[in-house]
Amino acid sequence: MTDGVYRPILRPRRGELAALHHLDADAARLVMPIIEVSATEHLPQLVRKIPPRTGVIAVDLGTIADPWDPLSSPPLDLAEELADVGVAMLPVLRAYDSPRRLLEHGLAARMHLLRAVLRLQPHLDARNALTATALTDRMLAGAGLEFERVDLVIDLAETACTAHANRFEERARSMLRWARASPWRSITVAAGAMPPNLDDLPTDEPVTVGRLDAQVWSRLSEPGIGYADYGVTSPVRRLGINHRQLPTLRYTADRDWWIYRWARRGGRSDDRCHDLCRTLVDSPQWPAAGARFSWGDAQIARQARSARGGGSSASWMAWSTSHHIAHVLKALPQH
């Protein structure tokens, strides 16, 4: 019931795409990113500049409404544009998709690999097995796809605290019992625990944030169930919010993220980023493999050696996401 693939749910930004672009060949075969696209973002342009090494991406258009023009189709337009840049697309089916959108997803799947992802949020979409069965049957029939061609992602969304995590764990067990009754291509559990806003965290010292999403998955102890998360970002999308752009790294460990937000050493971003990276490289969190652990770690190590070029918010996100992906792949049982 698993294909051994890690499915991070990511935003279509330069930082996340840079991390996917710099995956090594072995890692690229084990990562299937799910990219959430909004109406204001043009993914093909970014993919053309920074192509993901995975070669295949799943695309979630759930926030984009059906256009009034019957000849306009976001899934088909995107499928054509991604084909032009040599990247295969898996459409992501959502419970609230209209019959028109489901049909378009099916056509987009046929333009590429004849596969799709069905992303189900049980707390919103289906609270019991009967509802889930009726819903998924409708979605697959609308897209004209068989179970064997579809990867099921059970998305628990935000695990904001221990109480949430415990409740979601029980919900996940119930959904997995239901899911195992159908011949899905694979079954994956997704969740996210990164806070939507880090601005209130202390600066100039590493602060831990619990990886409750990973802890829920590990406690499930379900053989053959794949792992997904929201990378180093929150499931809560706060569009249009401007954050204070301090040099920030979200550094993944087994049970926590170590958040480094640096304001010291005056006003120069270069100096702050250099000091941050040097502190991280000298910390217990720095992996034994050092700069060889991931492309992102190599960039952090380079920055720790030189104060020239402080990077940007996209750089810091790219380095954090790169390390996170490498850490997840190393931690998953099949690896």
Side-chain angles (χ1 to χ4, degrees):
M1 302 296 283
T2 181
D3 52 3
V5 170
Y6 164 47
R7 292 179 166 82
I9 301 170
L10 304 175
R11 304 183 192 183
R13 300 183 300 193
R14 181 173 296 274
E16 284 87 338
L17 266 292
L20 297 175
H21 177 73
H22 287 97
L23 291 173
D24 63 46
D26 291 336
R29 287 192 292 269
L30 300 171
V31 178
M32 172 61 68
I34 299 173
I35 311 294
E36 295 183 322
V37 179
S38 72
T40 61
E41 293 156 334
H42 197 64
L43 180 62
Q45 290 181 354
L46 191 58
V47 167
R48 185 177 286 107
K49 294 176 182 176
I50 318 173
R53 190 87 184 269
T54 59
V56 183
I57 58 175
V59 181
D60 190 329
L61 300 172
T63 64
I64 300 178
D66 290 332
W68 64 267
D69 183 354
L71 299 180
S72 176
S73 169
L76 295 178
D77 292 344
L78 187 58
E80 289 180 357
E81 290 181 282
L82 289 176
D84 288 343
V85 298
V87 174
M89 168 182 159
L90 305 185
V92 176
L93 282 58
R94 301 301 299 265
Y96 46 79
D97 283 339
S98 66
R100 169 185 171 180
R101 178 60 59 87
L102 290 172
L103 176 62
E104 292 168 346
H105 282 327
L107 294 173
R110 286 164 177 77
M111 289 174 61
H112 285 267
L113 302 178
L114 193 56
R115 285 174 46 201
V117 172
L118 195 155
R119 183 177 173 189
L120 190 66
Q121 293 186 308
H123 57 296
L124 296 177
D125 304 330
R127 294 182 176 272
N128 57 61
L130 286 176
T131 304
T133 298
L135 177 63
T136 55
D137 285 349
R138 176 185 69 80
M139 295 167 70
L140 294 183
L145 295 170
E146 302 295 331
F147 284 97
E148 293 85 355
R149 308 297 301 182
V150 177
D151 299 298
L152 174 65
V153 175
I154 299 172
D155 182 9
L156 304 179
E158 186 183 21
T159 52
C161 62
T162 302
H164 279 188
N166 293 338
R167 186 165 67 251
F168 291 167
E169 181 181 344
E170 292 307 311
R171 185 174 291 160
R173 292 186 190 280
S174 175
M175 289 302 297
L176 287 173
R177 287 193 294 270
W178 162 80
R180 287 184 182 279
S182 299
W184 301 99
R185 183 179 180 276
S186 68
I187 300 174
T188 298
V189 173
M194 181 68 74
N197 184 10
L198 304 180
D199 290 350
D200 294 331
L201 294 180
T203 61
D204 302 328
E205 61 179 281
V207 180
T208 57
V209 171
R211 291 182 64 208
L212 297 178
D213 45 4
Q215 294 175 35
V216 168
W217 186 86
S218 65
R219 290 203 304 266
L220 288 173
S221 299
E222 291 274 0
I225 300 302
Y227 177 75
D229 59 22
Y230 285 76
V232 295
T233 63
S234 170
V236 180
R237 302 313 197 196
R238 305 173 75 235
L239 301 178
I241 303 296
N242 293 320
H243 297 284
R244 186 184 178 197
Q245 294 298 326
L246 292 178
T248 301
L249 290 179
R250 307 164 184 224
Y251 204 71
T252 305
D254 289 341
R255 296 183 61 83
D256 301 287
W257 288 290
W258 288 84
I259 310 300
Y260 287 74
R261 299 179 67 244
W262 241 239
R264 67 173 58 157
R265 296 200 58 175
R268 291 188 64 233
S269 177
D270 291 12
D271 288 339
R272 291 200 301 268
C273 189
H274 168 61
D275 196 53
L276 184 161
C277 293
R278 188 173 56 185
T279 303
L280 173 54
V281 166
D282 291 338
S283 76
Q285 290 78 52
W286 189 244
R292 298 186 305 276
F293 190 80
S294 72
W295 168 80
D297 287 286
Q299 302 309 302
I300 294 169
R302 179 184 59 82
Q303 192 66 44
R305 294 191 299 269
S306 172
R308 289 177 300 185
S312 64
S313 58
S315 302
W316 309 325
M317 181 58 69
W319 306 343
S320 299
T321 302
S322 174
H323 171 81
H324 178 83
I325 292 174
H327 185 94
V328 168
L329 293 180
K330 186 174 184 295
L332 289 180
Q334 61 265 38
H335 309 307

